[in-house]
Amino acid sequence: MEEIIQKCYQIFDYPPPNEPLHACICPICLAPELEREMRTLPLRELGAKHFYEYNGGVIDKTQNSNEIKYFLPRMIELFAQNEELHHSLEIYFARVGYVPKSEFTVAELAIWQQFADAYLDKLLTQNTDYKSIFSYLEMFHKAHIDIRPFLQRWQNNDTPQAIIHFVHASWDYYVWQQETVDTFDDDEPEYQQIMTDWLDNAEHKQHVARQLLNLPAEIVQQYCEKYDYPNGSIDYLFDVLAA
């Protein structure tokens, strides 16, 4: 991961902004002193607070692409350190997505995709946290990342951690909302389509159902205790997938 981050610094090697940032500069959104620091401090000295306020100061979807590209390596680095870049995970990198994809070079898109793939793959090796992996997928999708290759890798991953991630994510976004239409963000129809196609694919559902049957009892118990879900939640998910 560190090697990829350093390559991001090399590829996104843009000069710092020489004019006020494209953000609402006020004490509530992006305080003037923080705005000045973002333009004058060395990039690697900027902290999560700078980007939290910067992302909260979005005026509109029109962005200065060079400004976004200059900040992106540091945003990626802080994100990899589990720093908060905004109040909602899904919009951490929304500014990147506001820049048209055509304004990124092939090399820039490639290293950004490489980071996202590595980060998501690493998530599947870890125990779940309070953040649903679906939130990470939506966040990356909003920022020009193709999440479909990862979904295929996830489906082919038979480890207990990977299936527990699926249980944790699908419980909120899939299981109990079976009778609702707006399972995913209506403002992201492409993301919604990708996810529902993946979740509703018969082959995928059968594969996950088999994985659920093979979950060790101690893993199921740990999951239920950690998230205070009823013991029947995994059984219910199995019933939905096997229907």
Side-chain angles (χ1 to χ4, degrees):
M1 189 72 72
E2 181 61 30
E3 182 179 347
I4 296 174
I5 292 171
Q6 296 313 312
K7 286 183 180 178
C8 287
Y9 274 106
Q10 295 169 12
I11 292 173
F12 291 97
D13 186 22
Y14 286 81
N18 56 11
E19 56 187 28
L21 301 181
H22 187 74
C24 176
I25 302 171
C26 73
I28 297 176
C29 295
L30 177 61
E33 58 269 25
L34 287 181
E35 190 272 343
R36 284 195 301 272
E37 288 178 357
M38 291 189 75
R39 289 187 288 109
T40 57
L41 287 178
L43 181 58
R44 292 176 188 259
E45 291 185 17
L46 299 180
K49 180 176 177 58
H50 292 95
F51 292 104
Y52 193 103
E53 303 300 327
Y54 177 66
N55 287 327
V58 174
I59 300 173
D60 52 45
K61 292 187 177 182
T62 302
Q63 301 292 306
N64 181 324
S65 61
N66 285 358
E67 175 181 309
I68 300 301
K69 293 178 183 183
Y70 168 74
F71 288 129
L72 185 55
R74 182 56 176 159
M75 291 177 66
I76 290 172
E77 186 171 37
L78 290 169
F79 172 73
Q81 295 169 1
N82 297 318
E83 297 285 356
E84 284 190 285
L85 303 181
H86 202 14
H87 58 71
S88 297
L89 176 63
E90 292 85 352
I91 52 179
Y92 273 17
F93 294 99
R95 279 182 175 267
V96 178
Y98 293 158
V99 176
K101 193 173 183 178
S102 60
E103 295 188 20
F104 290 89
T105 69
V106 172
E108 289 167 352
L109 290 173
I111 193 65
W112 178 218
Q113 181 78 43
Q114 187 179 353
F115 171 80
D117 285 338
Y119 189 91
L120 290 168
D121 286 346
K122 185 178 179 181
L123 279 181
L124 285 189
T125 69
Q126 301 171 341
N127 292 326
T128 53
D129 60 16
Y130 71 95
K131 298 173 184 174
S132 164
I133 199 168
F134 285 0
S135 296
Y136 289 96
L137 290 174
E138 183 175 351
M139 175 198 71
F140 280 125
H141 173 80
K142 288 176 181 287
H144 302 311
I145 293 299
D146 184 359
I147 62 173
R148 289 168 296 186
F150 168 75
L151 291 175
Q152 187 61 54
R153 293 196 300 277
W154 188 1
Q155 180 177 330
N156 294 333
N157 190 318
D158 294 331
T159 63
Q161 292 90 344
I163 190 59
I164 285 296
H165 266 292
F166 182 85
V167 173
H168 182 52
S170 64
W171 185 254
D172 288 337
Y173 288 92
Y174 183 66
V175 177
W176 71 273
Q177 295 201 47
Q178 279 292 294
E179 297 181 357
T180 69
V181 176
D182 55 344
T183 306
F184 295 103
D185 188 352
D186 286 338
D187 293 332
E188 291 291 334
E190 183 182 18
Y191 173 73
Q192 186 181 63
Q193 191 65 55
I194 290 172
M195 294 303 296
T196 53
D197 285 350
W198 183 67
L199 288 166
D200 290 335
N201 179 274
E203 181 181 347
H204 172 235
K205 291 167 73 172
Q206 292 168 9
H207 179 72
V208 174
R210 289 193 296 270
Q211 287 180 301
L212 290 173
L213 287 175
N214 293 327
L215 270 179
E218 61 272 20
I219 298 294
V220 175
Q221 184 63 30
Q222 290 171 9
Y223 171 76
C224 293
E225 291 176 355
K226 183 172 183 178
Y227 296 104
D228 196 28
Y229 284 153
N231 290 336
S233 62
I234 293 179
D235 292 337
Y236 182 63
L237 174 59
F238 174 83
D239 291 340
V240 170
L241 294 171

